[in-house]
Amino acid sequence: MKKKIWITIAVIVAIIVGIIVYFAITDLNQEEKLRNELTEINDLVNEENIDMEEVNKRLDTTVTTGDYAVVEKAFKNYLSDNFDNIMKIVEILNDEKITQILTAENYKNDGPEFVETKAYISTSKQNLETYKQKYEEFFTEDKAMSYINDKNLDDYYVDLYKNEFVGDIENDFKEDETSKSIDEIIEILDISEDVINLLSENKDSWKIEGDTIVFSTDSLSQEYNNLLDNLK
């Protein structure tokens, strides 16, 4: 009888151990799958020509299950929001209108009041300031962790998110050049705005001859050229 009891106990223990091993292996597989997924996304966004369609496709797909899926979705949501803000910045930085503000063609088409040009400069500067602030905020631990802190996960999964995927994000950001590039464009827009204001305030003192702006006074011409020198 005792032998049967011990056999039964042994069987139960074996089943329990088997279940524990099964879930341990499953967890390891899920964790490895999650790491591989995010590594592949990182490789995609570091390519010279980023395929944002493929990146967004990966960000909208979940490859893990259970609590790992919660971690995966949280980090992918963080990445998605960050990328969305970055693409808005890139759209402004690559806008050809910025390079056309101080051209004879724009002077002819929108001068001498420059209503559209002034509105474009103002909107672009405001948007860049907003997107820059958001961009810098994304590279803080508080912002990154806000995507996981309300998910009611065990500390293990929160720590996994923090240590494996967020890392030392604030220190890494110190070497980022994006904010500097944004500031340079804002400075260009500031100078362009000064030029446009100068022309609109002295609308009867200049004209376009061919592709050249001609001023009625040397002092105004000098002031205009001094402003342009700030762009060099």
Side-chain angles (χ1 to χ4, degrees):
M1 185 68 177
K2 289 183 178 180
K3 185 177 181 180
K4 289 183 178 180
I5 292 174
W6 283 111
I7 291 174
T8 302
I9 293 174
V11 171
I12 293 173
V13 170
I15 292 173
I16 293 174
V17 171
I19 293 173
I20 293 173
V21 170
Y22 170 78
F23 281 109
I25 293 175
T26 300
D27 280 357
L28 288 174
N29 289 337
Q30 290 290 309
E31 199 164 309
E32 185 65 19
K33 186 181 291 187
L34 177 55
R35 286 195 178 97
N36 289 339
E37 173 72 1
L38 296 179
T39 296
E40 290 175 9
I41 291 175
N42 183 66
D43 291 341
L44 283 173
V45 299
N46 281 304
E47 290 181 355
E48 185 174 350
N49 297 312
I50 302 176
D51 184 351
M52 285 308 300
E53 184 176 347
E54 179 62 23
V55 172
N56 289 327
K57 180 180 177 181
R58 297 294 287 270
L59 292 177
D60 290 337
T61 303
T62 307
V63 300
T64 57
T65 59
D67 289 335
Y68 287 99
V70 178
V71 175
E72 179 185 355
K73 289 177 181 178
F75 194 64
K76 284 185 173 180
N77 285 338
Y78 162 76
L79 290 177
S80 181
D81 289 348
N82 196 352
F83 290 153
D84 180 63
N85 187 64
I86 289 173
M87 294 311 295
K88 290 176 180 177
I89 294 171
V90 170
E91 184 178 354
I92 296 177
L93 298 186
N94 290 338
D95 191 348
E96 291 185 356
K97 286 184 179 180
I98 292 178
T99 63
Q100 296 172 352
I101 292 174
L102 304 182
T103 62
E105 182 179 1
N106 187 53
Y107 295 168
K108 286 187 287 187
N109 293 336
D110 197 34
E113 300 296 340
F114 296 101
V115 175
E116 292 183 10
T117 302
K118 289 179 180 180
Y120 170 75
I121 293 175
S122 177
T123 300
S124 296
K125 286 169 56 178
Q126 183 177 351
N127 287 341
L128 280 175
E129 292 286 3
T130 299
Y131 299 150
K132 176 190 172 186
Q133 182 179 352
K134 289 183 178 180
Y135 179 79
E136 293 175 348
E137 183 182 345
F138 271 113
F139 288 90
T140 63
E141 185 175 300
D142 285 345
K143 181 65 174 180
M145 294 303 297
S146 69
Y147 285 78
I148 194 77
N149 284 335
D150 62 346
K151 304 304 181 184
N152 298 317
L153 291 172
D154 289 342
D155 289 344
Y156 175 83
Y157 298 99
V158 176
D159 290 341
L160 173 68
Y161 177 95
K162 179 179 179 180
N163 298 329
E164 293 290 334
F165 309 127
V166 175
D168 194 5
I169 194 171
E170 295 183 16
N171 190 53
D172 294 339
F173 178 69
K174 292 178 181 178
E175 299 182 6
D176 186 85
E177 295 291 325
T178 303
S179 291
K180 182 179 178 181
S181 298
I182 296 172
D183 287 337
E184 290 174 352
I185 296 299
I186 291 175
E187 183 178 4
I188 290 173
L189 288 169
D190 282 337
I191 296 171
S192 298
E193 187 173 42
D194 289 340
V195 172
I196 293 302
N197 286 336
L198 176 68
L199 296 180
S200 64
E201 291 168 3
N202 297 274
K203 57 186 177 181
D204 296 325
S205 301
W206 60 271
K207 60 183 178 179
I208 300 297
E209 294 183 355
D211 292 327
T212 305
I213 185 169
V214 178
F215 295 93
S216 59
T217 65
D218 290 339
S219 60
L220 186 59
S221 177
Q222 185 62 49
E223 187 175 358
Y224 174 83
N225 288 326
N226 287 341
L227 288 174
L228 292 186
D229 286 341
N230 293 326
L231 293 173
K232 299 178 181 178

